[in-house]
């Protein structure tokens, strides 16, 4: 049974990394090869499948993570991150640092991918940790939870947008309804989870090389205006492109130019150039000093990228093994509420495949025939599938490894923290969707 294979592979991976202390990159590749053999994938095809998985995952994330890490390091080495962190502390106070992270993350995360927003905000979180001497998860976890919620629940993120197109749902209404669910649910979990005893018992350190250890004086730091301008520059470019794409369907050279500039890699590359120009003189007298700062960030990212790439290989083996088709056949005869079925199929696919995007696209295809005669609002079906796809993030999810490595956690600690919060977010999201469907039905009477 394919789902049993997934479960056993996860257990084996945990044993390799916890008992045998095997490096995450090597452990993921070993398990991926084992799963491929068990699923009957021809031996001659396995290397290509692993390469495609690594290439696809690293290709999607390397530019974003690499450029984002360089921008973050320059902002840290110039004092810009400390300036923003200090302003947040002045506005919210030391006790309100979590609220500051939630508000910032939700505003930025509405239009930005989880990985992109994470890379942009995490230097500020690291700086807040250093200044306040708080636990890394106390500050960083609310950021990650808020970003996960925005990315998974709402268009214009790729998963919900793709499902909206499949169901012929209004993207604007899906976003409108989704905000009433995502904001309260995400904020609640973001503020609750760091307070849970099993989370507070974990006290990770900031990974070396990703943030400056220096504490700047008032005179050494750049002004708040420049610091915020550089930090928000990619947000404006990416958000502007997303809004433009939603507002018009015309194919014009201007639209293509906006989409190009607003793509995450190009936006971050332009931001890096702006950061070097604005903050370079504060780091050193020559470009070689700035280059050393960027090089330090790149070195710190090397193993993180390798682990994320291996996670992509593991995911690709599961996809090529036909688990999605098995789950589609397995759930085909279930007779339950379309909303619950949509959520459940997306959640099962997420557990099996790791990829939220694959989960939502596959689940939407399975439940589409049920939508026409069910009377269910298409926008609520989109949200049901989308929030189902966030559940049970674990070792076959490349985002799990980004979370683990940046917060310097063991595999078991990351499962305790991330797998638990994504699952609760998903369940509460389903409850919100069912409540929203009930309200819409009541209003239509």
């Amino acid at each position: 049974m394919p789902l049993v294979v997934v479960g056993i592979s996860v257990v084996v991976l945990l044993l390799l990394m916890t008992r045998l202390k095997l490096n995450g990159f090597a452990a993921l590749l070993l398990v991926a090869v084992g799963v491929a053999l068990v699923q009957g994938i021809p031996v001659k095809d396995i290397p290509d499948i692993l390469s495609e998985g690594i290439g696809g995952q690293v290709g999607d994330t390397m530019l974003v993570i690499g450029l984002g890490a360089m921008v973050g390091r320059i902002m840290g080495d110039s004092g810009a991150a400390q300036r923003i962190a200090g302003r947040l502390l002045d506005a919210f106070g030391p006790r309100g640092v979590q609220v500051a992270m939630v508000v910032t993350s939700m505003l930025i995360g509405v239009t930005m991918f989880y990985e992109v927003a994470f890379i942009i905000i995490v230097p500020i979180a690291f700086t807040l940790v250093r200044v306040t001497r708080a636990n890394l998860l106390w500050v960083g976890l609310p950021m990650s939870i808020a970003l996960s919620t925005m990315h998974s629940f709402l268009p214009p993120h790729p998963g919900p947008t793709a499902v909206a197109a499949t169901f012929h749902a209004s993207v604007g209404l899906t976003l409108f309804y989704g905000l009433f669910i995502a904001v309260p649910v995400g904020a609640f979990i973001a503020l609750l989870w760091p307070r849970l005893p099993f989370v507070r018992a974990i006290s990770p350190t900031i990974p070396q090389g990703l943030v400056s250890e220096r504490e700047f004086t008032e005179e050494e730091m750049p002004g708040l205006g420049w610091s915020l301008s550089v930090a928000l520059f990619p947000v404006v470019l990416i958000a502007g492109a997303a809004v433009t794409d939603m507002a018009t369907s015309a194919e014009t050279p201007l639209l293509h130019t906006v989409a190009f500039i607003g793509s995450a890699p190009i936006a971050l590359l332009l931001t890096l150039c702006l950061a070097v120009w604005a903050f370079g003189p504060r780091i050193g007298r020559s470009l070689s000093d700035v280059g050393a700062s960027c090089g330090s960030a790149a070195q710190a990212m090397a193993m993180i990228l390798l682990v994320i790439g291996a996670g992509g290989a593991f995911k690709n083996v599961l996809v090529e093994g036909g688990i999605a088709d098995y789950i589609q056949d397995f759930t085909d005869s279930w007779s339950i509420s379309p909303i619950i079925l949509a959520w459940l199929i997306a959640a099962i696919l997420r557990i099996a495949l790791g990829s939220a995007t694959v989960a939502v696209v596959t689940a939407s295809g399975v439940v589409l025939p049920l939508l026409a005669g069910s009377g269910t609002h298409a926008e609520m079906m989109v949200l049901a599938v989308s929030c189902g796809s966030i559940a049970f993030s674990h070792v076959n999810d490349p985002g799990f490894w980004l979370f683990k490595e940046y917060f310097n956690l063991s595999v078991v600690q990351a499962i305790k923290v991330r797998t638990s919060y994504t699952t609760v977010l998903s369940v509460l999201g389903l409850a919100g969707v069912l409540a929203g469907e009930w309200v819409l039905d009541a209003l239509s009477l």
Side-chain angles (χ1 to χ4, degrees), residues 390-435:
I390 193 178
F392 304 103
S393 170
H394 63 97
V395 295
N396 62 356
D397 174 18
F400 172 92
W401 297 101
L402 178 72
F403 176 89
K404 173 197 173 297
E405 296 296 327
Y406 259 91
F407 290 136
N408 214 5
L409 303 171
S410 70
V411 178
V412 173
Q413 289 172 335
I415 288 175
K416 287 181 179 178
V417 178
R418 181 171 167 88
T419 306
S420 62
Y421 91 64
T422 54
T423 303
V424 174
L425 270 179
S426 181
V427 173
L428 292 181
L430 172 62
V433 173
L434 290 171

mmCIF file of all heavy atoms in Angstrom, residues 390-435:
data_model
loop_
_atom_site.group_PDB
_atom_site.id
_atom_site.type_symbol
_atom_site.label_atom_id
_atom_site.label_comp_id
_atom_site.label_asym_id
_atom_site.label_seq_id
_atom_site.Cartn_x
_atom_site.Cartn_y
_atom_site.Cartn_z
ATOM 1 N N ILE A 390 -2.045 22.548 3.559
ATOM 2 C CA ILE A 390 -1.024 23.005 4.508
ATOM 3 C C ILE A 390 -0.772 21.973 5.603
ATOM 4 O O ILE A 390 0.230 22.034 6.313
ATOM 5 C CB ILE A 390 -1.434 24.359 5.147
ATOM 6 C CG1 ILE A 390 -0.247 24.984 5.884
ATOM 7 C CG2 ILE A 390 -2.604 24.208 6.092
ATOM 8 C CD1 ILE A 390 -0.555 26.326 6.494
ATOM 9 N N ALA A 391 -1.651 20.984 5.726
ATOM 10 C CA ALA A 391 -1.593 20.051 6.861
ATOM 11 C C ALA A 391 -0.357 19.148 6.807
ATOM 12 O O ALA A 391 0.145 18.822 5.738
ATOM 13 C CB ALA A 391 -2.855 19.182 6.887
ATOM 14 N N PHE A 392 0.101 18.751 7.989
ATOM 15 C CA PHE A 392 1.093 17.672 8.146
ATOM 16 C C PHE A 392 2.383 17.900 7.358
ATOM 17 O O PHE A 392 2.917 16.965 6.761
ATOM 18 C CB PHE A 392 0.483 16.327 7.722
ATOM 19 C CG PHE A 392 -0.770 15.969 8.457
ATOM 20 C CD1 PHE A 392 -2.017 16.113 7.849
ATOM 21 C CD2 PHE A 392 -0.729 15.495 9.759
ATOM 22 C CE1 PHE A 392 -3.185 15.798 8.524
ATOM 23 C CE2 PHE A 392 -1.893 15.170 10.437
ATOM 24 C CZ PHE A 392 -3.120 15.321 9.824
ATOM 25 N N SER A 393 2.889 19.121 7.363
ATOM 26 C CA SER A 393 4.196 19.348 6.736
ATOM 27 C C SER A 393 5.250 18.523 7.474
ATOM 28 O O SER A 393 5.405 18.629 8.687
ATOM 29 C CB SER A 393 4.564 20.832 6.805
ATOM 30 O OG SER A 393 5.897 21.044 6.416
ATOM 31 N N HIS A 394 5.970 17.683 6.724
ATOM 32 C CA HIS A 394 6.998 16.858 7.378
ATOM 33 C C HIS A 394 8.166 16.668 6.426
ATOM 34 O O HIS A 394 8.413 17.526 5.571
ATOM 35 C CB HIS A 394 6.409 15.525 7.868
ATOM 36 C CG HIS A 394 5.885 14.634 6.790
ATOM 37 N ND1 HIS A 394 6.625 13.603 6.250
ATOM 38 C CD2 HIS A 394 4.696 14.603 6.137
ATOM 39 C CE1 HIS A 394 5.920 12.986 5.321
ATOM 40 N NE2 HIS A 394 4.742 13.572 5.226
ATOM 41 N N VAL A 395 8.889 15.559 6.562
ATOM 42 C CA VAL A 395 10.210 15.451 5.930
ATOM 43 C C VAL A 395 10.186 15.390 4.404
ATOM 44 O O VAL A 395 11.235 15.540 3.787
ATOM 45 C CB VAL A 395 10.967 14.232 6.481
ATOM 46 C CG1 VAL A 395 11.270 14.410 7.957
ATOM 47 C CG2 VAL A 395 10.157 12.940 6.281
ATOM 48 N N ASN A 396 9.044 15.157 3.775
ATOM 49 C CA ASN A 396 9.011 15.161 2.305
ATOM 50 C C ASN A 396 8.612 16.528 1.751
ATOM 51 O O ASN A 396 8.378 16.675 0.551
ATOM 52 C CB ASN A 396 8.082 14.068 1.764
ATOM 53 C CG ASN A 396 6.639 14.249 2.202
ATOM 54 O OD1 ASN A 396 6.321 15.152 2.967
ATOM 55 N ND2 ASN A 396 5.767 13.381 1.737
ATOM 56 N N ASP A 397 8.551 17.532 2.613
ATOM 57 C CA ASP A 397 8.212 18.899 2.226
ATOM 58 C C ASP A 397 9.486 19.745 2.266
ATOM 59 O O ASP A 397 10.056 19.946 3.338
ATOM 60 C CB ASP A 397 7.157 19.462 3.181
ATOM 61 C CG ASP A 397 6.869 20.934 2.929
ATOM 62 O OD1 ASP A 397 7.202 21.430 1.839
ATOM 63 O OD2 ASP A 397 6.321 21.584 3.845
ATOM 64 N N PRO A 398 9.956 20.257 1.125
ATOM 65 C CA PRO A 398 11.168 21.082 1.143
ATOM 66 C C PRO A 398 11.053 22.299 2.072
ATOM 67 O O PRO A 398 12.050 22.738 2.642
ATOM 68 C CB PRO A 398 11.323 21.510 -0.323
ATOM 69 C CG PRO A 398 10.681 20.404 -1.099
ATOM 70 C CD PRO A 398 9.506 19.966 -0.254
ATOM 71 N N GLY A 399 9.839 22.849 2.229
ATOM 72 C CA GLY A 399 9.660 23.958 3.149
ATOM 73 C C GLY A 399 9.951 23.578 4.591
ATOM 74 O O GLY A 399 10.380 24.414 5.400
ATOM 75 N N PHE A 400 9.730 22.314 4.929
ATOM 76 C CA PHE A 400 10.062 21.801 6.254
ATOM 77 C C PHE A 400 11.557 21.964 6.532
ATOM 78 O O PHE A 400 11.965 22.355 7.630
ATOM 79 C CB PHE A 400 9.656 20.324 6.333
ATOM 80 C CG PHE A 400 10.112 19.597 7.567
ATOM 81 C CD1 PHE A 400 9.297 19.534 8.691
ATOM 82 C CD2 PHE A 400 11.346 18.950 7.603
ATOM 83 C CE1 PHE A 400 9.713 18.842 9.820
ATOM 84 C CE2 PHE A 400 11.761 18.264 8.731
ATOM 85 C CZ PHE A 400 10.948 18.217 9.841
ATOM 86 N N TRP A 401 12.366 21.682 5.513
ATOM 87 C CA TRP A 401 13.818 21.754 5.700
ATOM 88 C C TRP A 401 14.299 23.196 5.768
ATOM 89 O O TRP A 401 15.261 23.507 6.482
ATOM 90 C CB TRP A 401 14.515 20.985 4.582
ATOM 91 C CG TRP A 401 14.167 19.534 4.637
ATOM 92 C CD1 TRP A 401 13.259 18.866 3.860
ATOM 93 C CD2 TRP A 401 14.666 18.558 5.558
ATOM 94 N NE1 TRP A 401 13.169 17.551 4.234
ATOM 95 C CE2 TRP A 401 14.022 17.334 5.272
ATOM 96 C CE3 TRP A 401 15.595 18.603 6.595
ATOM 97 C CZ2 TRP A 401 14.288 16.173 5.994
ATOM 98 C CZ3 TRP A 401 15.861 17.443 7.304
ATOM 99 C CH2 TRP A 401 15.216 16.255 6.995
ATOM 100 N N LEU A 402 13.661 24.100 5.036
ATOM 101 C CA LEU A 402 13.983 25.520 5.159
ATOM 102 C C LEU A 402 13.721 25.979 6.592
ATOM 103 O O LEU A 402 14.563 26.650 7.208
ATOM 104 C CB LEU A 402 13.141 26.332 4.177
ATOM 105 C CG LEU A 402 13.330 27.848 4.224
ATOM 106 C CD1 LEU A 402 14.672 28.239 3.639
ATOM 107 C CD2 LEU A 402 12.203 28.564 3.456
ATOM 108 N N PHE A 403 12.571 25.614 7.126
ATOM 109 C CA PHE A 403 12.201 25.963 8.502
ATOM 110 C C PHE A 403 13.205 25.363 9.488
ATOM 111 O O PHE A 403 13.698 26.044 10.393
ATOM 112 C CB PHE A 403 10.784 25.452 8.776
ATOM 113 C CG PHE A 403 10.295 25.659 10.178
ATOM 114 C CD1 PHE A 403 9.646 26.833 10.537
ATOM 115 C CD2 PHE A 403 10.470 24.680 11.151
ATOM 116 C CE1 PHE A 403 9.177 27.026 11.824
ATOM 117 C CE2 PHE A 403 10.006 24.869 12.438
ATOM 118 C CZ PHE A 403 9.366 26.043 12.775
ATOM 119 N N LYS A 404 13.506 24.093 9.314
ATOM 120 C CA LYS A 404 14.408 23.393 10.234
ATOM 121 C C LYS A 404 15.796 24.024 10.252
ATOM 122 O O LYS A 404 16.368 24.281 11.322
ATOM 123 C CB LYS A 404 14.525 21.923 9.833
ATOM 124 C CG LYS A 404 15.583 21.139 10.625
ATOM 125 C CD LYS A 404 15.941 19.848 9.946
ATOM 126 C CE LYS A 404 17.101 19.148 10.643
ATOM 127 N NZ LYS A 404 18.359 19.934 10.597
ATOM 128 N N GLU A 405 16.346 24.284 9.061
ATOM 129 C CA GLU A 405 17.726 24.763 8.986
ATOM 130 C C GLU A 405 17.854 26.200 9.473
ATOM 131 O O GLU A 405 18.809 26.543 10.167
ATOM 132 C CB GLU A 405 18.241 24.648 7.542
ATOM 133 C CG GLU A 405 18.327 23.216 7.027
ATOM 134 C CD GLU A 405 19.333 22.373 7.784
ATOM 135 O OE1 GLU A 405 20.360 22.926 8.222
ATOM 136 O OE2 GLU A 405 19.095 21.160 7.961
ATOM 137 N N TYR A 406 16.916 27.070 9.115
ATOM 138 C CA TYR A 406 17.006 28.465 9.529
ATOM 139 C C TYR A 406 16.799 28.632 11.034
ATOM 140 O O TYR A 406 17.378 29.531 11.648
ATOM 141 C CB TYR A 406 15.997 29.321 8.768
ATOM 142 C CG TYR A 406 16.616 30.084 7.636
ATOM 143 C CD1 TYR A 406 16.681 29.548 6.360
ATOM 144 C CD2 TYR A 406 17.164 31.338 7.839
ATOM 145 C CE1 TYR A 406 17.259 30.247 5.318
ATOM 146 C CE2 TYR A 406 17.741 32.055 6.808
ATOM 147 C CZ TYR A 406 17.784 31.495 5.551
ATOM 148 O OH TYR A 406 18.376 32.188 4.520
ATOM 149 N N PHE A 407 15.983 27.769 11.626
ATOM 150 C CA PHE A 407 15.778 27.853 13.067
ATOM 151 C C PHE A 407 16.650 26.861 13.837
ATOM 152 O O PHE A 407 16.484 26.699 15.031
ATOM 153 C CB PHE A 407 14.296 27.651 13.404
ATOM 154 C CG PHE A 407 13.439 28.812 12.961
ATOM 155 C CD1 PHE A 407 12.222 28.605 12.332
ATOM 156 C CD2 PHE A 407 13.856 30.114 13.157
ATOM 157 C CE1 PHE A 407 11.443 29.673 11.913
ATOM 158 C CE2 PHE A 407 13.081 31.188 12.748
ATOM 159 C CZ PHE A 407 11.873 30.969 12.129
ATOM 160 N N ASN A 408 17.580 26.213 13.104
ATOM 161 C CA ASN A 408 18.635 25.408 13.738
ATOM 162 C C ASN A 408 18.053 24.323 14.642
ATOM 163 O O ASN A 408 18.498 24.146 15.787
ATOM 164 C CB ASN A 408 19.566 26.323 14.533
ATOM 165 C CG ASN A 408 21.004 25.850 14.510
ATOM 166 O OD1 ASN A 408 21.336 24.883 13.827
ATOM 167 N ND2 ASN A 408 21.854 26.512 15.253
ATOM 168 N N LEU A 409 17.080 23.591 14.132
ATOM 169 C CA LEU A 409 16.385 22.566 14.908
ATOM 170 C C LEU A 409 16.825 21.167 14.475
ATOM 171 O O LEU A 409 17.283 20.973 13.351
ATOM 172 C CB LEU A 409 14.870 22.694 14.713
ATOM 173 C CG LEU A 409 14.227 24.037 15.065
ATOM 174 C CD1 LEU A 409 12.777 24.049 14.607
ATOM 175 C CD2 LEU A 409 14.316 24.303 16.559
ATOM 176 N N SER A 410 16.640 20.207 15.356
ATOM 177 C CA SER A 410 16.783 18.814 14.951
ATOM 178 C C SER A 410 15.533 18.399 14.180
ATOM 179 O O SER A 410 14.521 19.109 14.184
ATOM 180 C CB SER A 410 16.966 17.925 16.172
ATOM 181 O OG SER A 410 15.743 17.854 16.917
ATOM 182 N N VAL A 411 15.589 17.249 13.519
ATOM 183 C CA VAL A 411 14.431 16.777 12.765
ATOM 184 C C VAL A 411 13.239 16.557 13.689
ATOM 185 O O VAL A 411 12.107 16.950 13.378
ATOM 186 C CB VAL A 411 14.768 15.466 12.017
ATOM 187 C CG1 VAL A 411 13.542 14.950 11.275
ATOM 188 C CG2 VAL A 411 15.897 15.676 11.035
ATOM 189 N N VAL A 412 13.485 15.939 14.825
ATOM 190 C CA VAL A 412 12.391 15.679 15.770
ATOM 191 C C VAL A 412 11.794 16.985 16.274
ATOM 192 O O VAL A 412 10.563 17.125 16.372
ATOM 193 C CB VAL A 412 12.901 14.817 16.948
ATOM 194 C CG1 VAL A 412 11.820 14.681 18.010
ATOM 195 C CG2 VAL A 412 13.335 13.438 16.455
ATOM 196 N N GLN A 413 12.642 17.964 16.586
ATOM 197 C CA GLN A 413 12.126 19.261 17.045
ATOM 198 C C GLN A 413 11.307 19.950 15.956
ATOM 199 O O GLN A 413 10.246 20.524 16.239
ATOM 200 C CB GLN A 413 13.300 20.150 17.462
ATOM 201 C CG GLN A 413 13.982 19.735 18.748
ATOM 202 C CD GLN A 413 15.252 20.526 19.006
ATOM 203 O OE1 GLN A 413 15.893 21.044 18.076
ATOM 204 N NE2 GLN A 413 15.634 20.623 20.269
ATOM 205 N N ALA A 414 11.784 19.877 14.714
ATOM 206 C CA ALA A 414 11.041 20.505 13.619
ATOM 207 C C ALA A 414 9.691 19.833 13.406
ATOM 208 O O ALA A 414 8.693 20.505 13.120
ATOM 209 C CB ALA A 414 11.875 20.449 12.332
ATOM 210 N N ILE A 415 9.643 18.523 13.542
ATOM 211 C CA ILE A 415 8.364 17.813 13.424
ATOM 212 C C ILE A 415 7.420 18.243 14.545
ATOM 213 O O ILE A 415 6.234 18.510 14.322
ATOM 214 C CB ILE A 415 8.590 16.295 13.444
ATOM 215 C CG1 ILE A 415 9.227 15.844 12.126
ATOM 216 C CG2 ILE A 415 7.281 15.542 13.666
ATOM 217 C CD1 ILE A 415 9.597 14.382 12.088
ATOM 218 N N LYS A 416 7.941 18.324 15.763
ATOM 219 C CA LYS A 416 7.098 18.741 16.887
ATOM 220 C C LYS A 416 6.503 20.122 16.654
ATOM 221 O O LYS A 416 5.319 20.355 16.940
ATOM 222 C CB LYS A 416 7.923 18.757 18.179
ATOM 223 C CG LYS A 416 8.266 17.396 18.739
ATOM 224 C CD LYS A 416 9.067 17.561 20.035
ATOM 225 C CE LYS A 416 9.406 16.216 20.648
ATOM 226 N NZ LYS A 416 10.218 16.371 21.883
ATOM 227 N N VAL A 417 7.309 21.026 16.132
ATOM 228 C CA VAL A 417 6.868 22.417 16.004
ATOM 229 C C VAL A 417 6.111 22.652 14.697
ATOM 230 O O VAL A 417 4.955 23.074 14.700
ATOM 231 C CB VAL A 417 8.083 23.375 16.101
ATOM 232 C CG1 VAL A 417 7.620 24.824 15.917
ATOM 233 C CG2 VAL A 417 8.792 23.215 17.433
ATOM 234 N N ARG A 418 6.762 22.366 13.560
ATOM 235 C CA ARG A 418 6.139 22.726 12.271
ATOM 236 C C ARG A 418 5.003 21.785 11.893
ATOM 237 O O ARG A 418 3.939 22.244 11.446
ATOM 238 C CB ARG A 418 7.195 22.730 11.165
ATOM 239 C CG ARG A 418 6.588 23.116 9.799
ATOM 240 C CD ARG A 418 7.657 23.326 8.773
ATOM 241 N NE ARG A 418 7.095 23.399 7.422
ATOM 242 C CZ ARG A 418 6.652 24.517 6.824
ATOM 243 N NH1 ARG A 418 6.675 25.661 7.486
ATOM 244 N NH2 ARG A 418 6.182 24.497 5.592
ATOM 245 N N THR A 419 5.200 20.483 12.046
ATOM 246 C CA THR A 419 4.141 19.553 11.669
ATOM 247 C C THR A 419 2.887 19.805 12.497
ATOM 248 O O THR A 419 1.760 19.737 11.988
ATOM 249 C CB THR A 419 4.608 18.104 11.846
ATOM 250 O OG1 THR A 419 5.832 17.912 11.122
ATOM 251 C CG2 THR A 419 3.569 17.125 11.320
ATOM 252 N N SER A 420 3.080 20.115 13.776
ATOM 253 C CA SER A 420 1.923 20.354 14.647
ATOM 254 C C SER A 420 1.199 21.643 14.278
ATOM 255 O O SER A 420 -0.033 21.666 14.168
ATOM 256 C CB SER A 420 2.361 20.382 16.111
ATOM 257 O OG SER A 420 3.276 21.440 16.358
ATOM 258 N N TYR A 421 1.952 22.728 14.044
ATOM 259 C CA TYR A 421 1.246 23.987 13.770
ATOM 260 C C TYR A 421 0.574 23.984 12.398
ATOM 261 O O TYR A 421 -0.517 24.553 12.234
ATOM 262 C CB TYR A 421 2.172 25.193 13.975
ATOM 263 C CG TYR A 421 2.966 25.708 12.801
ATOM 264 C CD1 TYR A 421 2.364 26.261 11.665
ATOM 265 C CD2 TYR A 421 4.369 25.723 12.837
ATOM 266 C CE1 TYR A 421 3.102 26.765 10.611
ATOM 267 C CE2 TYR A 421 5.121 26.231 11.792
ATOM 268 C CZ TYR A 421 4.488 26.746 10.685
ATOM 269 O OH TYR A 421 5.219 27.254 9.647
ATOM 270 N N THR A 422 1.194 23.352 11.405
ATOM 271 C CA THR A 422 0.542 23.305 10.091
ATOM 272 C C THR A 422 -0.736 22.466 10.143
ATOM 273 O O THR A 422 -1.725 22.807 9.476
ATOM 274 C CB THR A 422 1.495 22.731 9.021
ATOM 275 O OG1 THR A 422 1.994 21.454 9.441
ATOM 276 C CG2 THR A 422 2.655 23.670 8.761
ATOM 277 N N THR A 423 -0.724 21.415 10.939
ATOM 278 C CA THR A 423 -1.917 20.568 11.040
ATOM 279 C C THR A 423 -3.062 21.295 11.733
ATOM 280 O O THR A 423 -4.212 21.256 11.277
ATOM 281 C CB THR A 423 -1.573 19.272 11.798
ATOM 282 O OG1 THR A 423 -0.504 18.601 11.120
ATOM 283 C CG2 THR A 423 -2.787 18.349 11.869
ATOM 284 N N VAL A 424 -2.762 21.969 12.829
ATOM 285 C CA VAL A 424 -3.812 22.715 13.546
ATOM 286 C C VAL A 424 -4.331 23.863 12.685
ATOM 287 O O VAL A 424 -5.539 24.124 12.653
ATOM 288 C CB VAL A 424 -3.283 23.222 14.906
ATOM 289 C CG1 VAL A 424 -4.313 24.119 15.576
ATOM 290 C CG2 VAL A 424 -2.935 22.051 15.803
ATOM 291 N N LEU A 425 -3.435 24.553 11.980
ATOM 292 C CA LEU A 425 -3.877 25.599 11.051
ATOM 293 C C LEU A 425 -4.861 25.045 10.033
ATOM 294 O O LEU A 425 -5.883 25.669 9.728
ATOM 295 C CB LEU A 425 -2.667 26.179 10.311
ATOM 296 C CG LEU A 425 -1.933 27.375 10.891
ATOM 297 C CD1 LEU A 425 -0.758 27.743 9.993
ATOM 298 C CD2 LEU A 425 -2.854 28.565 11.072
ATOM 299 N N SER A 426 -4.546 23.882 9.506
ATOM 300 C CA SER A 426 -5.388 23.260 8.483
ATOM 301 C C SER A 426 -6.759 22.897 9.023
ATOM 302 O O SER A 426 -7.791 23.151 8.386
ATOM 303 C CB SER A 426 -4.687 22.018 7.930
ATOM 304 O OG SER A 426 -5.449 21.405 6.926
ATOM 305 N N VAL A 427 -6.788 22.306 10.223
ATOM 306 C CA VAL A 427 -8.062 21.899 10.822
ATOM 307 C C VAL A 427 -8.922 23.119 11.148
ATOM 308 O O VAL A 427 -10.133 23.140 10.872
ATOM 309 C CB VAL A 427 -7.811 21.049 12.082
ATOM 310 C CG1 VAL A 427 -9.123 20.778 12.812
ATOM 311 C CG2 VAL A 427 -7.131 19.728 11.711
ATOM 312 N N LEU A 428 -8.312 24.139 11.740
ATOM 313 C CA LEU A 428 -9.075 25.357 12.045
ATOM 314 C C LEU A 428 -9.527 26.050 10.761
ATOM 315 O O LEU A 428 -10.606 26.658 10.716
ATOM 316 C CB LEU A 428 -8.231 26.309 12.887
ATOM 317 C CG LEU A 428 -7.920 25.848 14.317
ATOM 318 C CD1 LEU A 428 -7.103 26.902 15.049
ATOM 319 C CD2 LEU A 428 -9.206 25.564 15.086
ATOM 320 N N GLY A 429 -8.705 25.955 9.723
ATOM 321 C CA GLY A 429 -9.113 26.518 8.436
ATOM 322 C C GLY A 429 -10.345 25.822 7.885
ATOM 323 O O GLY A 429 -11.261 26.467 7.367
ATOM 324 N N LEU A 430 -10.379 24.493 8.011
ATOM 325 C CA LEU A 430 -11.562 23.742 7.578
ATOM 326 C C LEU A 430 -12.798 24.181 8.361
ATOM 327 O O LEU A 430 -13.877 24.377 7.776
ATOM 328 C CB LEU A 430 -11.333 22.245 7.769
ATOM 329 C CG LEU A 430 -12.542 21.345 7.535
ATOM 330 C CD1 LEU A 430 -13.031 21.445 6.095
ATOM 331 C CD2 LEU A 430 -12.220 19.897 7.894
ATOM 332 N N ALA A 431 -12.645 24.350 9.662
ATOM 333 C CA ALA A 431 -13.775 24.816 10.481
ATOM 334 C C ALA A 431 -14.247 26.190 10.013
ATOM 335 O O ALA A 431 -15.458 26.456 9.931
ATOM 336 C CB ALA A 431 -13.364 24.862 11.951
ATOM 337 N N GLY A 432 -13.296 27.058 9.671
ATOM 338 C CA GLY A 432 -13.660 28.383 9.174
ATOM 339 C C GLY A 432 -14.376 28.325 7.838
ATOM 340 O O GLY A 432 -15.328 29.074 7.601
ATOM 341 N N VAL A 433 -13.943 27.411 6.965
ATOM 342 C CA VAL A 433 -14.599 27.260 5.662
ATOM 343 C C VAL A 433 -16.025 26.745 5.828
ATOM 344 O O VAL A 433 -16.964 27.244 5.188
ATOM 345 C CB VAL A 433 -13.790 26.312 4.757
ATOM 346 C CG1 VAL A 433 -14.562 26.011 3.472
ATOM 347 C CG2 VAL A 433 -12.442 26.935 4.416
ATOM 348 N N LEU A 434 -16.220 25.752 6.695
ATOM 349 C CA LEU A 434 -17.566 25.231 6.940
ATOM 350 C C LEU A 434 -18.469 26.317 7.522
ATOM 351 O O LEU A 434 -19.644 26.438 7.133
ATOM 352 C CB LEU A 434 -17.489 24.038 7.895
ATOM 353 C CG LEU A 434 -16.855 22.763 7.324
ATOM 354 C CD1 LEU A 434 -16.638 21.739 8.429
ATOM 355 C CD2 LEU A 434 -17.724 22.175 6.214
ATOM 356 N N ALA A 435 -17.920 27.123 8.435
ATOM 357 C CA ALA A 435 -18.704 28.228 8.998
ATOM 358 C C ALA A 435 -19.029 29.270 7.936
ATOM 359 O O ALA A 435 -20.147 29.793 7.866
ATOM 360 C CB ALA A 435 -17.936 28.871 10.154
#
